[in-house]
Amino acid sequence: MTEDIKRKINELRKEIKKHNDLYYTRGVPVISDGKYDALMAELKKLEEAHPGYASADSPTMTVGAPVPQKFVKVKHTSPMLSLESVNDEKGAEHFNETCVKETGKAVDYICEPKLDGISIELVYDNGRFTSGSTRGDGVIGEDVTLNLKTIPSVPEKLKVKTPPRRIAVRGEVMMHITDFQGLNKKRAEEGQDLFANPRNVAAGSMRQLDWRVTAGRKLHVYCYRILDYSEKWPDSQEDALKLLKELGFQTAPNIKHSKDISAAISYHHLMEEKRDDLDYEIDGVVVKVNNFRDQERLGMRTQNPKWAVAYKFKAHKEVTRIENIAIQVGRTGVLTPLALLKPVEVSGVTVARATLHNMDQVEKLGVKIGDYVKVERAGDVIPYISEVVKEKRTGREKTFHMPKKCPSCGTPVEREDVFYRCPAGLACPAQLKEAIAHYVSKAAVDIDGFSDKTVELLFEMGLIKSIADIYKLKREELLGLEGFKEKKTDNLLGAIENAKDIALDRFIYGLGIRNVGRHIAALLAKRFGTLENLIEADKDELTGINEIGPEIADCIVDFFGAKKNLEEIEKLKANGVIIKKKEKTAKGKFAGKKVVFTGSLETISRSQAKKLVEEEGGEASSGISSNVDFVVAGEKAGSKLEKAKKLGIKVLTEQEFQNLIK
Ligand code: IVH
């Protein structure tokens, strides 16, 4: 009996860990949240009933742990100091002179990129990650272990046979620029507020009380320093970095050993040139005395070490004045404060406006109208206001308040967390205009030549008052409008006519339902096949779809529950729009078939395999039921394979699947 319980607990732990890996590390969940929660609940119940089998390694103790109410404070291994900065060659040479003088000899350096992220400390006891913390005030930080556990480059276990009894390391949490852009693109599609820069995402992700939010962000940790080590210390920073790598930590790319300060200066110039080509943000290079004995001889100041210096790049940063703060009303009714700036050139681009995101950000920065502010740009990331230059205040600056009424339609504004929202929906001209621009956009119905400027013009001229009006535009109305000669008019009318047959997923996306981006729209189209089926779907049916949670389901139900929206859809149809059914019997080798993958695949990733099935007209599903047509069984296929066999479903090996798809 006890053996049975032990086996069951181990099986559950293994199964949950596998799903954690699929979900958090690889981003390809294969079971629904509900099923995952059920596995976790079963394990918890068994562990509570049999405390003798408790283990710190159990998923119930790690990422599966309940969300804490606040962060616990932790004292750092040693104070997390910062670095002294120099801005030019003279500063770097002066640093070298001090090093030479105080060690009594020439010194060599390790030059590293100065990563612009969030500084953290990681502690490993007997090879296992036990605690991770933010910098805090340098002495006491906050325990963010659960958040750090979700980052693939933070090893759960050190990758050596005999791990050190204890090691504490310091590193930087970063988000790559391409991932940052992807995240913001997705948020924009879903009508969510955008992040200002990758560093803010990294900082915000560490401050998340719910590690599941952090897990959804693609973060990296690059380590650069050993703080504490129970074994024989390496002799130099070069060896320390090697050791970090051997233990399984990630170190920054582009690190260089420089034999003297001239080589370090050349490295700085090279990296400054390379800076905009990198996929992560750096704001300088860190020049560190290589030999640890030399580092010891040089010692510390109160706030920073004497053996290293941050050799900064020229800032992509300028100071300018906020002339006013305007309000933008977005497609979903969110009011966004927009700083109107005295135009300023920041590394080759003229910046005249910058979003302030929301009132939280306005308060955090402490900006007032009339303030001088620093405007920053990094790589090709959008410019943002990083701080107020308080010394330049005259006392005439004005505090900014969110309007109580929508500036576009006058409806009283409602507050939802950090957002202020106009609830008028399509009755609000600003939202209607944005909704029309969204409907005609490339990713939605894609009406060629229907630019935002055209939407603005037609709207201002009163020619379109709803989305459906697009299809009633007349040649004589357009001709004569600014910029509308015969050719442009005919092209636009032709494009509108051509875009009357609309694929269901594009149409759903084009409706601009809150929280329904392209991906969710595609899922809905696939599941429901017709718009009518989707309109009738209730919350239970919607949440039954993998990836659709209660929040998205509510938005969909609310949207189709509003009479005005249904009337608009009817008007579109009456004006000639044909919404194409999503054919379940599409063409392809898996046309109309449901395929389930189980076990681990050797030659292809699970997500690639699913994509192949979809490209061939099939549906990749995760649960076994009688309407599944094929099960592809990889290595160690477990209960799903058993169930499939019982139900008489055709089972394919990975090789047979590959042969079929060829
Ligand atoms: S070494 C004793 N190396 O820069 C200080 N720091 O202003 C040891 N940083 O708070 C720091 N990249 O967050 C070091 N390669 C690197 C770094 C780096 C970025 C950050 C770190 C620190 C700040 C210092």
Side-chain angles (χ1 to χ4, degrees), residues 80-83 112-119 135 170-172 224-225 286 288 300 304-305 307 310:
M80 279 174 90
L81 303 176
S82 57
L83 293 167
E112 301 171 12
K114 186 169 183 303
L115 306 163
D116 194 7
I118 297 299
S119 192
R135 183 173 185 279
R170 185 166 171 182
E172 204 82 354
Y224 45 70
R225 185 158 146 75
V286 182
K288 297 177 181 173
M300 302 279 183
N304 42 45
W307 44 261

Side-chain angles (χ1 to χ4, degrees), residues 12 40 242 295 550 630:
L12 282 166
M40 195 62 115
K242 250 187 236 153
Q295 286 194 2
F630 295 105

Side-chain angles (χ1 to χ4, degrees), residues 425-437 459 464-467:
L426 295 183
C428 167
Q431 289 177 61
L432 179 57
K433 201 163 40 176
E434 292 293 328
I436 296 171
F459 195 82
I464 44 177
K465 294 194 179 71
S466 74
I467 299 176

Side-chain angles (χ1 to χ4, degrees), residues 202-262:
S205 307
M206 284 303 103
R207 274 198 304 270
Q208 279 297 333
L209 283 168
D210 187 347
W211 54 268
R212 280 166 287 217
V213 178
T214 313
R217 310 257 166 88
K218 290 182 179 146
L219 299 168
H220 298 260
V221 167
Y222 294 103
C223 293
Y224 45 70
R225 185 158 146 75
I226 299 178
L227 299 166
D228 189 14
Y229 191 42
S230 56
E231 316 303 311
K232 184 181 173 300
W233 272 71
D235 292 331
S236 63
Q237 174 67 1
E238 190 172 28
D239 290 345
L241 290 168
K242 250 187 236 153
L243 174 63
L244 286 173
K245 268 196 198 168
E246 278 163 22
L247 293 173
F249 295 103
Q250 183 170 247
T251 56
N254 295 305
I255 293 176
K256 194 167 183 304
H257 182 200
S258 300
K259 67 176 192 331
D260 55 23
I261 200 67
S262 324

